[in-house]
Amino acid sequence: MPFHCENPDFLLNRNAMQRSEIFRDMFALCAPRSDASPGPEEILDLQEKAGILEVLLQLLHNPPPPPVAISFDEKFSTRLPKVRFESHTVIPLPLLSTMFELADKYVIDISVVKSLKIHLEAHAPAHPLQVYSFATLHDMDSLASEASQYVMPMASYRLDEVKVIPSVQAYHKIVRLQDFRVRALRELLLAEEIFPHGYGECTSHRDKTVASWDRQRKALTGRIETGTDVAGEMDALRDGLRDCETCYKACNAAVEMLAYKCRKVARRLHQLPEDY
């Protein structure tokens, strides 16, 4: 139903308004009894600004559909996608925050809230700290965990950016996750050999290739951060081995194995071992 905030009268749909438990209960309480005589018309005065009221009524009358997802299979990627939903179908973050507040205040149906949560998740790649903090503050543990994988190294954020995190505990969870990832990625890298147990070994260039692999991984070890694509960094070594088919093949296999192992490392909060 169309309506305008400039006009004090709104054209409303009763069924749509009943997506809110508050209005649903109000209608139930105000329903006239069959034996009651008509009384004076009652007016409900909502203490909301016109812009907020417009958002509320739009939310009730035209619940937003979930954003359109972009296909992505993390099982075959060493990098997290920067965009997971079609941007033009995602509700802007500031408006989304207002919608969540209204959904909570007016107890709007869970189906509408579920859609809003997907919109919030869609912002995680670009605004991970804000999404993580908002989800944590509102007890959306699953969504907070999903956003945690996109959070950059905590030392890279400014103080005013970190202040958005609602508690010391929430901050500590991210620090623990990132520390675990860095340690695990370093261990995997240092343990991965280009000719494991002599398999696929090149008799002509063995020592030179092993030295190159070792030099590359030791240089990378000190630069690993929570979002580092370890396999991708080691893959740069392949170009220098193209002249030898055996060495090139061994490097390719080692990089693929490293990528597989790195994908297994926890990158979301709920994947963090309980004893860590």
Side-chain angles (χ1 to χ4, degrees):
M1 294 290 181
F3 56 86
H4 303 282
C5 278
E6 292 78 13
N7 193 320
D9 297 319
F10 293 90
L11 187 59
L12 305 178
N13 179 284
R14 179 168 180 152
N15 289 333
M17 296 298 290
Q18 291 189 108
R19 288 192 174 99
S20 160
E21 185 177 320
I22 301 298
F23 292 122
R24 191 160 58 242
D25 290 348
M26 181 193 71
F27 287 135
L29 290 172
C30 296
R33 301 195 311 270
S34 58
D35 60 344
S37 58
E41 184 180 79
E42 296 184 9
I43 297 176
L44 175 64
D45 186 14
L46 292 177
Q47 299 299 316
E48 302 285 6
K49 293 181 179 179
I52 299 298
L53 187 57
E54 180 179 7
V55 174
L56 172 62
L57 296 178
Q58 286 283 15
L59 194 57
L60 292 172
H61 286 74
N62 302 295
V68 178
I70 297 174
S71 178
F72 169 73
D73 191 341
E74 66 179 40
K75 293 180 181 179
F76 302 101
S77 176
T78 56
R79 287 185 178 275
L80 288 173
K82 294 299 182 183
V83 180
R84 298 187 63 175
F85 296 86
E86 296 288 353
S87 59
H88 67 279
T89 67
V90 180
I91 298 172
L93 200 53
L95 177 58
L96 196 55
S97 177
T98 300
M99 287 181 166
F100 270 111
E101 291 176 7
L102 291 171
D104 180 63
K105 183 176 182 179
Y106 290 93
V107 197
I108 293 177
D109 287 350
I110 189 64
S111 60
V112 178
V113 176
K114 284 183 178 179
S115 179
L116 294 181
K117 287 182 178 181
I118 301 175
H119 281 273
L120 182 60
E121 179 186 339
H123 287 283
H127 306 285
L129 203 58
Q130 293 94 319
V131 173
Y132 169 73
S133 300
F134 186 91
T136 299
L137 183 63
H138 294 85
D139 298 320
M140 304 176 192
D141 294 341
S142 177
L143 212 160
S145 179
E146 188 66 23
S148 66
Q149 65 184 316
Y150 295 100
V151 177
M152 297 186 298
M154 291 305 297
S156 67
Y157 289 101
R158 302 189 309 271
L159 178 60
D160 61 304
E161 293 175 316
V162 174
K163 283 183 178 179
V164 72
I165 300 178
S167 67
V168 173
Q169 182 183 19
Y171 179 92
H172 186 240
K173 285 182 178 180
I174 290 293
V175 172
R176 285 176 58 241
L177 174 63
Q178 295 188 348
D179 181 70
F180 177 85
R181 274 191 59 79
V182 170
R183 289 172 181 266
L185 292 174
R186 283 175 178 168
E187 290 177 5
L188 287 175
L189 176 58
L190 292 175
E192 193 65 38
E193 302 294 343
I194 192 166
F195 300 124
H197 308 292
Y199 179 78
E201 187 174 282
C202 174
T203 56
S204 301
H205 312 104
R206 178 192 178 282
D207 292 343
K208 181 180 178 181
T209 300
V210 169
S212 296
W213 176 268
D214 194 49
R215 185 166 53 251
Q216 179 83 350
R217 67 178 173 179
K218 285 181 178 178
L220 176 58
T221 299
R223 296 186 286 108
I224 290 179
E225 295 182 335
T226 183
T228 300
D229 179 7
V230 175
E233 294 285 344
M234 292 301 294
D235 190 48
L237 189 64
R238 283 198 296 180
D239 286 340
L241 302 175
R242 290 186 180 276
D243 292 339
C244 177
E245 182 179 353
T246 302
C247 291
Y248 183 84
K249 183 178 180 180
C251 184
N252 187 54
V255 167
E256 288 184 356
M257 179 57 69
L258 190 57
Y260 170 78
K261 292 178 179 178
C262 288
R263 284 195 295 268
K264 298 293 184 180
V265 176
R267 63 187 187 192
R268 301 176 181 87
L269 282 175
H270 75 273
Q271 298 170 329
L272 195 62
E274 293 183 3
D275 59 349
Y276 185 77

